[in-house]
PDB file of all heavy atoms in Angstrom:
ATOM      1  N   LEU A   1      -9.544  30.497 -97.717  1.00  0.00           N
ATOM      2  CA  LEU A   1     -10.842  30.018 -97.344  1.00  0.00           C
ATOM      3  C   LEU A   1     -11.952  30.701 -98.233  1.00  0.00           C
ATOM      4  O   LEU A   1     -13.118  30.268 -98.392  1.00  0.00           O
ATOM      5  CB  LEU A   1     -11.206  30.154 -95.897  1.00  0.00           C
ATOM      6  CG  LEU A   1     -10.404  29.210 -95.023  1.00  0.00           C
ATOM      7  CD1 LEU A   1     -10.539  29.559 -93.667  1.00  0.00           C
ATOM      8  CD2 LEU A   1     -10.803  27.657 -95.258  1.00  0.00           C
ATOM      9  N   GLU A   2     -11.724  32.054 -98.509  1.00  0.00           N
ATOM     10  CA  GLU A   2     -12.632  32.878 -99.237  1.00  0.00           C
ATOM     11  C   GLU A   2     -13.207  32.164-100.483  1.00  0.00           C
ATOM     12  O   GLU A   2     -12.433  31.660-101.293  1.00  0.00           O
ATOM     13  CB  GLU A   2     -12.036  34.213 -99.630  1.00  0.00           C
ATOM     14  CG  GLU A   2     -11.865  35.150 -98.534  1.00  0.00           C
ATOM     15  CD  GLU A   2     -11.296  36.465 -98.815  1.00  0.00           C
ATOM     16  OE1 GLU A   2     -11.070  36.760-100.129  1.00  0.00           O
ATOM     17  OE2 GLU A   2     -10.925  37.188 -97.900  1.00  0.00           O
ATOM     18  N   GLY A   3     -14.543  32.120-100.582  1.00  0.00           N
ATOM     19  CA  GLY A   3     -15.111  31.533-101.831  1.00  0.00           C
ATOM     20  C   GLY A   3     -15.096  29.973-101.639  1.00  0.00           C
ATOM     21  O   GLY A   3     -15.620  29.356-102.539  1.00  0.00           O
ATOM     22  N   LEU A   4     -14.447  29.373-100.841  1.00  0.00           N
ATOM     23  CA  LEU A   4     -14.278  27.983-100.747  1.00  0.00           C
ATOM     24  C   LEU A   4     -15.011  27.394 -99.524  1.00  0.00           C
ATOM     25  O   LEU A   4     -15.693  26.374 -99.587  1.00  0.00           O
ATOM     26  CB  LEU A   4     -12.817  27.582-100.501  1.00  0.00           C
ATOM     27  CG  LEU A   4     -12.460  26.038-100.324  1.00  0.00           C
ATOM     28  CD1 LEU A   4     -12.756  25.350-101.680  1.00  0.00           C
ATOM     29  CD2 LEU A   4     -10.854  25.983-100.098  1.00  0.00           C
ATOM     30  N   LEU A   5     -15.018  28.137 -98.430  1.00  0.00           N
ATOM     31  CA  LEU A   5     -15.610  27.656 -97.087  1.00  0.00           C
ATOM     32  C   LEU A   5     -17.148  27.705 -97.178  1.00  0.00           C
ATOM     33  O   LEU A   5     -17.684  28.692 -97.680  1.00  0.00           O
ATOM     34  CB  LEU A   5     -15.080  28.575 -96.007  1.00  0.00           C
ATOM     35  CG  LEU A   5     -15.481  28.089 -94.595  1.00  0.00           C
ATOM     36  CD1 LEU A   5     -14.706  26.676 -94.263  1.00  0.00           C
ATOM     37  CD2 LEU A   5     -15.000  28.955 -93.546  1.00  0.00           C
ATOM     38  N   ARG A   6     -17.806  26.648 -96.883  1.00  0.00           N
ATOM     39  CA  ARG A   6     -19.236  26.506 -96.946  1.00  0.00           C
ATOM     40  C   ARG A   6     -19.818  26.524 -95.398  1.00  0.00           C
ATOM     41  O   ARG A   6     -19.105  25.934 -94.545  1.00  0.00           O
ATOM     42  CB  ARG A   6     -19.654  25.248 -97.637  1.00  0.00           C
ATOM     43  CG  ARG A   6     -19.182  25.221 -99.084  1.00  0.00           C
ATOM     44  CD  ARG A   6     -19.606  23.984 -99.777  1.00  0.00           C
ATOM     45  NE  ARG A   6     -19.115  22.811 -99.153  1.00  0.00           N
ATOM     46  CZ  ARG A   6     -18.684  21.711 -99.668  1.00  0.00           C
ATOM     47  NH1 ARG A   6     -18.671  21.568-101.076  1.00  0.00           N
ATOM     48  NH2 ARG A   6     -18.109  20.683 -99.007  1.00  0.00           N
ATOM     49  N   PRO A   7     -21.014  26.803 -95.208  1.00  0.00           N
ATOM     50  CA  PRO A   7     -21.595  26.547 -93.940  1.00  0.00           C
ATOM     51  C   PRO A   7     -21.505  25.204 -93.310  1.00  0.00           C
ATOM     52  O   PRO A   7     -21.455  25.078 -92.119  1.00  0.00           O
ATOM     53  CB  PRO A   7     -23.108  27.021 -94.152  1.00  0.00           C
ATOM     54  CG  PRO A   7     -23.108  27.795 -95.383  1.00  0.00           C
ATOM     55  CD  PRO A   7     -22.026  27.345 -96.199  1.00  0.00           C
ATOM     56  N   SER A   8     -21.489  24.213 -94.194  1.00  0.00           N
ATOM     57  CA  SER A   8     -21.356  22.913 -93.692  1.00  0.00           C
ATOM     58  C   SER A   8     -20.048  22.382 -93.289  1.00  0.00           C
ATOM     59  O   SER A   8     -19.837  21.312 -92.796  1.00  0.00           O
ATOM     60  CB  SER A   8     -21.914  21.933 -94.842  1.00  0.00           C
ATOM     61  OG  SER A   8     -21.198  22.026 -95.958  1.00  0.00           O
ATOM     62  N   ASP A   9     -19.032  23.248 -93.563  1.00  0.00           N
ATOM     63  CA  ASP A   9     -17.595  22.922 -93.331  1.00  0.00           C
ATOM     64  C   ASP A   9     -17.289  23.226 -91.759  1.00  0.00           C
ATOM     65  O   ASP A   9     -17.915  23.837 -91.066  1.00  0.00           O
ATOM     66  CB  ASP A   9     -16.656  23.685 -94.134  1.00  0.00           C
ATOM     67  CG  ASP A   9     -16.757  23.214 -95.629  1.00  0.00           C
ATOM     68  OD1 ASP A   9     -17.209  22.108 -95.879  1.00  0.00           O
ATOM     69  OD2 ASP A   9     -16.490  24.016 -96.558  1.00  0.00           O
ATOM     70  N   VAL A  10     -16.074  22.720 -91.401  1.00  0.00           N
ATOM     71  CA  VAL A  10     -15.517  22.897 -90.128  1.00  0.00           C
ATOM     72  C   VAL A  10     -14.085  23.599 -90.217  1.00  0.00           C
ATOM     73  O   VAL A  10     -13.329  23.224 -91.111  1.00  0.00           O
ATOM     74  CB  VAL A  10     -15.308  21.430 -89.438  1.00  0.00           C
ATOM     75  CG1 VAL A  10     -14.677  21.697 -88.100  1.00  0.00           C
ATOM     76  CG2 VAL A  10     -16.774  20.800 -89.278  1.00  0.00           C
ATOM     77  N   LEU A  11     -13.902  24.547 -89.357  1.00  0.00           N
ATOM     78  CA  LEU A  11     -12.578  25.138 -89.319  1.00  0.00           C
ATOM     79  C   LEU A  11     -11.983  24.760 -87.949  1.00  0.00           C
ATOM     80  O   LEU A  11     -12.575  24.991 -86.931  1.00  0.00           O
ATOM     81  CB  LEU A  11     -12.574  26.578 -89.518  1.00  0.00           C
ATOM     82  CG  LEU A  11     -11.222  27.342 -89.340  1.00  0.00           C
ATOM     83  CD1 LEU A  11     -10.258  26.945 -90.467  1.00  0.00           C
ATOM     84  CD2 LEU A  11     -11.437  28.878 -89.451  1.00  0.00           C
ATOM     85  N   ILE A  12     -10.881  24.068 -87.883  1.00  0.00           N
ATOM     86  CA  ILE A  12     -10.133  23.805 -86.595  1.00  0.00           C
ATOM     87  C   ILE A  12      -8.992  24.806 -86.603  1.00  0.00           C
ATOM     88  O   ILE A  12      -8.053  24.722 -87.511  1.00  0.00           O
ATOM     89  CB  ILE A  12      -9.651  22.276 -86.516  1.00  0.00           C
ATOM     90  CG1 ILE A  12     -10.898  21.401 -86.626  1.00  0.00           C
ATOM     91  CG2 ILE A  12      -8.780  22.133 -85.259  1.00  0.00           C
ATOM     92  CD1 ILE A  12     -10.499  19.921 -86.603  1.00  0.00           C
ATOM     93  N   ALA A  13      -8.950  25.570 -85.552  1.00  0.00           N
ATOM     94  CA  ALA A  13      -7.848  26.596 -85.397  1.00  0.00           C
ATOM     95  C   ALA A  13      -7.008  26.318 -84.126  1.00  0.00           C
ATOM     96  O   ALA A  13      -7.590  26.327 -83.036  1.00  0.00           O
ATOM     97  CB  ALA A  13      -8.479  27.902 -85.402  1.00  0.00           C
ATOM     98  N   PHE A  14      -5.727  26.093 -84.362  1.00  0.00           N
ATOM     99  CA  PHE A  14      -4.799  26.107 -83.289  1.00  0.00           C
ATOM    100  C   PHE A  14      -4.105  27.282 -83.065  1.00  0.00           C
ATOM    101  O   PHE A  14      -3.462  27.936 -83.918  1.00  0.00           O
ATOM    102  CB  PHE A  14      -3.743  24.991 -83.616  1.00  0.00           C
ATOM    103  CG  PHE A  14      -4.211  23.633 -83.643  1.00  0.00           C
ATOM    104  CD1 PHE A  14      -4.557  22.992 -84.824  1.00  0.00           C
ATOM    105  CD2 PHE A  14      -4.217  22.853 -82.473  1.00  0.00           C
ATOM    106  CE1 PHE A  14      -5.089  21.698 -84.811  1.00  0.00           C
ATOM    107  CE2 PHE A  14      -4.583  21.562 -82.467  1.00  0.00           C
ATOM    108  CZ  PHE A  14      -5.044  20.979 -83.549  1.00  0.00           C
ATOM    109  N   SER A  15      -4.183  27.902 -81.868  1.00  0.00           N
ATOM    110  CA  SER A  15      -3.426  28.982 -81.452  1.00  0.00           C
ATOM    111  C   SER A  15      -3.220  29.136 -79.932  1.00  0.00           C
ATOM    112  O   SER A  15      -4.205  29.117 -79.159  1.00  0.00           O
ATOM    113  CB  SER A  15      -4.220  30.310 -81.837  1.00  0.00           C
ATOM    114  OG  SER A  15      -3.542  31.380 -81.355  1.00  0.00           O
ATOM    115  N   ALA A  16      -1.893  29.001 -79.497  1.00  0.00           N
ATOM    116  CA  ALA A  16      -1.690  28.936 -78.032  1.00  0.00           C
ATOM    117  C   ALA A  16      -2.146  30.248 -77.451  1.00  0.00           C
ATOM    118  O   ALA A  16      -2.870  30.158 -76.371  1.00  0.00           O
ATOM    119  CB  ALA A  16      -0.129  28.754 -77.877  1.00  0.00           C
ATOM    120  N   SER A  17      -1.915  31.376 -77.970  1.00  0.00           N
ATOM    121  CA  SER A  17      -2.403  32.626 -77.340  1.00  0.00           C
ATOM    122  C   SER A  17      -3.906  32.843 -77.658  1.00  0.00           C
ATOM    123  O   SER A  17      -4.593  33.561 -76.977  1.00  0.00           O
ATOM    124  CB  SER A  17      -1.599  33.816 -77.995  1.00  0.00           C
ATOM    125  OG  SER A  17      -2.008  34.063 -79.356  1.00  0.00           O
ATOM    126  N   GLY A  18      -4.377  32.292 -78.709  1.00  0.00           N
ATOM    127  CA  GLY A  18      -5.747  32.605 -79.132  1.00  0.00           C
ATOM    128  C   GLY A  18      -5.934  33.976 -79.740  1.00  0.00           C
ATOM    129  O   GLY A  18      -7.107  34.429 -80.010  1.00  0.00           O
ATOM    130  N   ASN A  19      -4.822  34.618 -80.055  1.00  0.00           N
ATOM    131  CA  ASN A  19      -4.860  36.028 -80.519  1.00  0.00           C
ATOM    132  C   ASN A  19      -4.015  36.222 -81.876  1.00  0.00           C
ATOM    133  O   ASN A  19      -3.976  37.315 -82.251  1.00  0.00           O
ATOM    134  CB  ASN A  19      -4.399  37.032 -79.476  1.00  0.00           C
ATOM    135  CG  ASN A  19      -5.339  37.157 -78.396  1.00  0.00           C
ATOM    136  OD1 ASN A  19      -6.568  37.254 -78.571  1.00  0.00           O
ATOM    137  ND2 ASN A  19      -4.770  37.111 -77.126  1.00  0.00           N
ATOM    138  N   SER A  20      -3.674  35.190 -82.566  1.00  0.00           N
ATOM    139  CA  SER A  20      -2.886  35.330 -83.711  1.00  0.00           C
ATOM    140  C   SER A  20      -3.768  36.016 -84.802  1.00  0.00           C
ATOM    141  O   SER A  20      -4.820  35.457 -85.120  1.00  0.00           O
ATOM    142  CB  SER A  20      -2.421  34.034 -84.208  1.00  0.00           C
ATOM    143  OG  SER A  20      -1.555  33.321 -83.314  1.00  0.00           O
ATOM    144  N   PRO A  21      -3.362  37.110 -85.320  1.00  0.00           N
ATOM    145  CA  PRO A  21      -4.250  37.851 -86.274  1.00  0.00           C
ATOM    146  C   PRO A  21      -4.670  37.096 -87.513  1.00  0.00           C
ATOM    147  O   PRO A  21      -5.892  37.172 -87.868  1.00  0.00           O
ATOM    148  CB  PRO A  21      -3.321  39.061 -86.658  1.00  0.00           C
ATOM    149  CG  PRO A  21      -2.454  39.256 -85.585  1.00  0.00           C
ATOM    150  CD  PRO A  21      -2.186  37.835 -85.041  1.00  0.00           C
ATOM    151  N   ASN A  22      -3.803  36.218 -87.985  1.00  0.00           N
ATOM    152  CA  ASN A  22      -4.218  35.435 -89.158  1.00  0.00           C
ATOM    153  C   ASN A  22      -5.170  34.288 -88.806  1.00  0.00           C
ATOM    154  O   ASN A  22      -6.097  33.872 -89.534  1.00  0.00           O
ATOM    155  CB  ASN A  22      -3.032  34.854 -89.933  1.00  0.00           C
ATOM    156  CG  ASN A  22      -2.141  33.913 -89.106  1.00  0.00           C
ATOM    157  OD1 ASN A  22      -2.379  33.817 -87.980  1.00  0.00           O
ATOM    158  ND2 ASN A  22      -1.121  33.374 -89.789  1.00  0.00           N
ATOM    159  N   ILE A  23      -5.143  33.815 -87.561  1.00  0.00           N
ATOM    160  CA  ILE A  23      -6.050  32.776 -87.139  1.00  0.00           C
ATOM    161  C   ILE A  23      -7.537  33.465 -86.986  1.00  0.00           C
ATOM    162  O   ILE A  23      -8.514  33.021 -87.279  1.00  0.00           O
ATOM    163  CB  ILE A  23      -5.573  32.152 -85.810  1.00  0.00           C
ATOM    164  CG1 ILE A  23      -4.229  31.384 -86.004  1.00  0.00           C
ATOM    165  CG2 ILE A  23      -6.677  31.210 -85.265  1.00  0.00           C
ATOM    166  CD1 ILE A  23      -4.319  30.289 -86.866  1.00  0.00           C
ATOM    167  N   ILE A  24      -7.458  34.609 -86.233  1.00  0.00           N
ATOM    168  CA  ILE A  24      -8.741  35.337 -85.834  1.00  0.00           C
ATOM    169  C   ILE A  24      -9.311  35.817 -87.164  1.00  0.00           C
ATOM    170  O   ILE A  24     -10.571  35.711 -87.323  1.00  0.00           O
ATOM    171  CB  ILE A  24      -8.378  36.584 -84.967  1.00  0.00           C
ATOM    172  CG1 ILE A  24      -7.825  36.034 -83.653  1.00  0.00           C
ATOM    173  CG2 ILE A  24      -9.614  37.352 -84.758  1.00  0.00           C
ATOM    174  CD1 ILE A  24      -8.749  35.026 -82.913  1.00  0.00           C
ATOM    175  N   SER A  25      -8.653  36.269 -88.252  1.00  0.00           N
ATOM    176  CA  SER A  25      -9.253  36.602 -89.465  1.00  0.00           C
ATOM    177  C   SER A  25      -9.893  35.409 -90.059  1.00  0.00           C
ATOM    178  O   SER A  25     -11.013  35.557 -90.626  1.00  0.00           O
ATOM    179  CB  SER A  25      -8.169  37.122 -90.390  1.00  0.00           C
ATOM    180  OG  SER A  25      -8.581  37.480 -91.578  1.00  0.00           O
ATOM    181  N   ALA A  26      -9.232  34.249 -90.085  1.00  0.00           N
ATOM    182  CA  ALA A  26      -9.916  33.142 -90.722  1.00  0.00           C
ATOM    183  C   ALA A  26     -11.183  32.689 -89.915  1.00  0.00           C
ATOM    184  O   ALA A  26     -12.170  32.297 -90.517  1.00  0.00           O
ATOM    185  CB  ALA A  26      -8.939  31.916 -90.782  1.00  0.00           C
ATOM    186  N   VAL A  27     -11.043  32.819 -88.660  1.00  0.00           N
ATOM    187  CA  VAL A  27     -12.256  32.319 -87.735  1.00  0.00           C
ATOM    188  C   VAL A  27     -13.354  33.304 -87.850  1.00  0.00           C
ATOM    189  O   VAL A  27     -14.466  32.846 -87.999  1.00  0.00           O
ATOM    190  CB  VAL A  27     -11.769  32.351 -86.180  1.00  0.00           C
ATOM    191  CG1 VAL A  27     -12.993  32.255 -85.297  1.00  0.00           C
ATOM    192  CG2 VAL A  27     -10.842  31.119 -85.996  1.00  0.00           C
ATOM    193  N   ARG A  28     -13.073  34.543 -88.066  1.00  0.00           N
ATOM    194  CA  ARG A  28     -14.097  35.547 -88.339  1.00  0.00           C
ATOM    195  C   ARG A  28     -14.853  35.334 -89.666  1.00  0.00           C
ATOM    196  O   ARG A  28     -16.025  35.387 -89.787  1.00  0.00           O
ATOM    197  CB  ARG A  28     -13.672  36.977 -88.193  1.00  0.00           C
ATOM    198  CG  ARG A  28     -13.389  37.422 -86.863  1.00  0.00           C
ATOM    199  CD  ARG A  28     -13.115  38.912 -86.736  1.00  0.00           C
ATOM    200  NE  ARG A  28     -13.189  39.347 -85.331  1.00  0.00           N
ATOM    201  CZ  ARG A  28     -12.388  40.099 -84.626  1.00  0.00           C
ATOM    202  NH1 ARG A  28     -11.251  40.370 -85.342  1.00  0.00           N
ATOM    203  NH2 ARG A  28     -12.652  40.479 -83.453  1.00  0.00           N
ATOM    204  N   LEU A  29     -14.062  34.870 -90.637  1.00  0.00           N
ATOM    205  CA  LEU A  29     -14.653  34.476 -91.907  1.00  0.00           C
ATOM    206  C   LEU A  29     -15.536  33.395 -91.712  1.00  0.00           C
ATOM    207  O   LEU A  29     -16.720  33.318 -92.265  1.00  0.00           O
ATOM    208  CB  LEU A  29     -13.567  34.303 -93.050  1.00  0.00           C
ATOM    209  CG  LEU A  29     -14.088  33.739 -94.353  1.00  0.00           C
ATOM    210  CD1 LEU A  29     -14.788  34.872 -95.093  1.00  0.00           C
ATOM    211  CD2 LEU A  29     -12.935  33.213 -95.224  1.00  0.00           C
ATOM    212  N   ALA A  30     -15.046  32.267 -91.088  1.00  0.00           N
ATOM    213  CA  ALA A  30     -15.787  31.119 -90.835  1.00  0.00           C
ATOM    214  C   ALA A  30     -17.119  31.370 -90.074  1.00  0.00           C
ATOM    215  O   ALA A  30     -18.214  30.861 -90.414  1.00  0.00           O
ATOM    216  CB  ALA A  30     -15.014  30.078 -90.133  1.00  0.00           C
ATOM    217  N   ASN A  31     -17.049  32.323 -89.153  1.00  0.00           N
ATOM    218  CA  ASN A  31     -18.259  32.739 -88.397  1.00  0.00           C
ATOM    219  C   ASN A  31     -19.275  33.486 -89.285  1.00  0.00           C
ATOM    220  O   ASN A  31     -20.462  33.106 -89.189  1.00  0.00           O
ATOM    221  CB  ASN A  31     -17.935  33.666 -87.253  1.00  0.00           C
ATOM    222  CG  ASN A  31     -17.179  33.116 -86.033  1.00  0.00           C
ATOM    223  OD1 ASN A  31     -16.448  33.751 -85.303  1.00  0.00           O
ATOM    224  ND2 ASN A  31     -17.294  31.766 -85.922  1.00  0.00           N
ATOM    225  N   GLN A  32     -18.757  34.164 -90.221  1.00  0.00           N
ATOM    226  CA  GLN A  32     -19.647  34.946 -91.151  1.00  0.00           C
ATOM    227  C   GLN A  32     -20.382  33.999 -92.087  1.00  0.00           C
ATOM    228  O   GLN A  32     -21.488  34.092 -92.392  1.00  0.00           O
ATOM    229  CB  GLN A  32     -18.893  35.902 -92.038  1.00  0.00           C
ATOM    230  CG  GLN A  32     -18.371  37.125 -91.201  1.00  0.00           C
ATOM    231  CD  GLN A  32     -17.421  38.122 -92.001  1.00  0.00           C
ATOM    232  OE1 GLN A  32     -17.023  37.753 -93.058  1.00  0.00           O
ATOM    233  NE2 GLN A  32     -17.040  39.188 -91.432  1.00  0.00           N
ATOM    234  N   VAL A  33     -19.519  32.952 -92.528  1.00  0.00           N
ATOM    235  CA  VAL A  33     -20.071  31.935 -93.401  1.00  0.00           C
ATOM    236  C   VAL A  33     -21.156  31.013 -92.742  1.00  0.00           C
ATOM    237  O   VAL A  33     -21.981  30.435 -93.490  1.00  0.00           O
ATOM    238  CB  VAL A  33     -18.826  31.122 -94.159  1.00  0.00           C
ATOM    239  CG1 VAL A  33     -19.350  29.886 -94.881  1.00  0.00           C
ATOM    240  CG2 VAL A  33     -18.032  32.025 -95.047  1.00  0.00           C
ATOM    241  N   GLY A  34     -20.854  30.888 -91.490  1.00  0.00           N
ATOM    242  CA  GLY A  34     -21.744  29.907 -90.758  1.00  0.00           C
ATOM    243  C   GLY A  34     -21.069  28.444 -90.551  1.00  0.00           C
ATOM    244  O   GLY A  34     -21.703  27.523 -90.128  1.00  0.00           O
ATOM    245  N   ALA A  35     -19.778  28.438 -90.814  1.00  0.00           N
ATOM    246  CA  ALA A  35     -19.114  27.239 -90.615  1.00  0.00           C
ATOM    247  C   ALA A  35     -18.851  26.919 -89.152  1.00  0.00           C
ATOM    248  O   ALA A  35     -18.806  27.940 -88.419  1.00  0.00           O
ATOM    249  CB  ALA A  35     -17.769  27.185 -91.388  1.00  0.00           C
ATOM    250  N   THR A  36     -18.695  25.742 -88.670  1.00  0.00           N
ATOM    251  CA  THR A  36     -18.408  25.414 -87.334  1.00  0.00           C
ATOM    252  C   THR A  36     -16.914  25.604 -87.084  1.00  0.00           C
ATOM    253  O   THR A  36     -16.080  25.162 -87.784  1.00  0.00           O
ATOM    254  CB  THR A  36     -18.709  23.930 -86.963  1.00  0.00           C
ATOM    255  OG1 THR A  36     -20.148  23.789 -87.261  1.00  0.00           O
ATOM    256  CG2 THR A  36     -18.504  23.635 -85.508  1.00  0.00           C
ATOM    257  N   VAL A  37     -16.564  26.286 -86.032  1.00  0.00           N
ATOM    258  CA  VAL A  37     -15.225  26.565 -85.603  1.00  0.00           C
ATOM    259  C   VAL A  37     -14.857  25.851 -84.262  1.00  0.00           C
ATOM    260  O   VAL A  37     -15.588  25.955 -83.311  1.00  0.00           O
ATOM    261  CB  VAL A  37     -14.976  28.107 -85.386  1.00  0.00           C
ATOM    262  CG1 VAL A  37     -13.508  28.270 -84.773  1.00  0.00           C
ATOM    263  CG2 VAL A  37     -15.204  28.955 -86.590  1.00  0.00           C
ATOM    264  N   VAL A  38     -13.829  25.082 -84.360  1.00  0.00           N
ATOM    265  CA  VAL A  38     -13.252  24.372 -83.233  1.00  0.00           C
ATOM    266  C   VAL A  38     -11.880  24.970 -82.841  1.00  0.00           C
ATOM    267  O   VAL A  38     -11.059  25.100 -83.740  1.00  0.00           O
ATOM    268  CB  VAL A  38     -13.084  22.941 -83.413  1.00  0.00           C
ATOM    269  CG1 VAL A  38     -12.348  22.181 -82.187  1.00  0.00           C
ATOM    270  CG2 VAL A  38     -14.325  22.170 -83.840  1.00  0.00           C
ATOM    271  N   GLY A  39     -11.814  25.640 -81.703  1.00  0.00           N
ATOM    272  CA  GLY A  39     -10.614  26.298 -81.297  1.00  0.00           C
ATOM    273  C   GLY A  39      -9.812  25.552 -80.343  1.00  0.00           C
ATOM    274  O   GLY A  39     -10.241  24.944 -79.329  1.00  0.00           O
ATOM    275  N   PHE A  40      -8.524  25.450 -80.431  1.00  0.00           N
ATOM    276  CA  PHE A  40      -7.508  24.816 -79.657  1.00  0.00           C
ATOM    277  C   PHE A  40      -6.641  25.916 -79.051  1.00  0.00           C
ATOM    278  O   PHE A  40      -5.989  26.556 -79.875  1.00  0.00           O
ATOM    279  CB  PHE A  40      -6.617  23.805 -80.385  1.00  0.00           C
ATOM    280  CG  PHE A  40      -7.267  22.442 -80.748  1.00  0.00           C
ATOM    281  CD1 PHE A  40      -8.339  22.299 -81.602  1.00  0.00           C
ATOM    282  CD2 PHE A  40      -6.875  21.254 -80.083  1.00  0.00           C
ATOM    283  CE1 PHE A  40      -8.866  21.201 -81.870  1.00  0.00           C
ATOM    284  CE2 PHE A  40      -7.396  20.060 -80.293  1.00  0.00           C
ATOM    285  CZ  PHE A  40      -8.503  19.989 -81.231  1.00  0.00           C
TER     286      PHE A  40
END
C-alpha cells in the first residue's frame, strides 16, 4: 500500500482476532494516509 494508497481509497480488513500484526500495520498506514478503513 505504501505510495499507492490515497486518502480517497478504502481499505477493508478481515481479522477474526483483530490483532494480526500485518493487518494492524496496513490499517495504521491507511489511518495515516486518511483512507477509510472498514474492519471485519
